């Protein structure tokens, strides 16, 4: 059985930290009724997905499971 990483990679942690900051920014500006700041926070959340994906492609994410062929 393959060992699962469950996000214990630099790519995952970086993406989660950026998304968390973006969520916090969006939440604060939503309460303050400032739409520009809210959308900046949403933009940070989208940036988190891009950064995490790029880091994963650079080899800092978990490797996809290999298919084991029997035969």
């Amino acid at each position: 059985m393959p060992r699962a990483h469950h996000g214990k990679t630099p790519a995952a942690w970086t993406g989660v930290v950026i998304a968390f900051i973006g969520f916090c920014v969006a939440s604060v500006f939503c309460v303050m009724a400032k739409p520009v700041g809210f959308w900046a926070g949403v933009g940070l959340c989208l940036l988190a997905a891009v950064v995490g994906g790029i880091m994963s492609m650079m080899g800092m994410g978990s490797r996809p499971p290999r298919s084991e062929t029997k035969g």
Side-chain angles (χ1 to χ4, degrees), residues 1-3 8 12 14 16-17 20-24 38 42-43 51 53 56 58 63 71:
M1 177 183 269
R3 203 173 111 199
K8 297 177 185 173
T14 303
V16 167
V17 168
F20 179 73
I21 292 169
F23 179 77
C24 290
F38 168 78
V42 171
V51 169
S56 183
M58 291 173 57
R63 294 186 184 127

Side-chain angles (χ1 to χ4, degrees), residues 48-67:
V50 173
V51 169
I54 290 172
M55 287 181 70
S56 183
M57 286 189 284
M58 291 173 57
M60 294 183 216
S62 62
R63 294 186 184 127
R66 294 186 316 178
S67 61

Side-chain angles (χ1 to χ4, degrees), residues 3 9 15 19 24 26 31 33-35 37 39 44 46 52-53 56 64 68 70:
R3 203 173 111 199
T9 64
C24 290
V31 170
K34 303 285 185 184
W39 288 110
L44 278 174
L46 295 174
S56 183
E68 307 234 351
K70 295 182 180 180

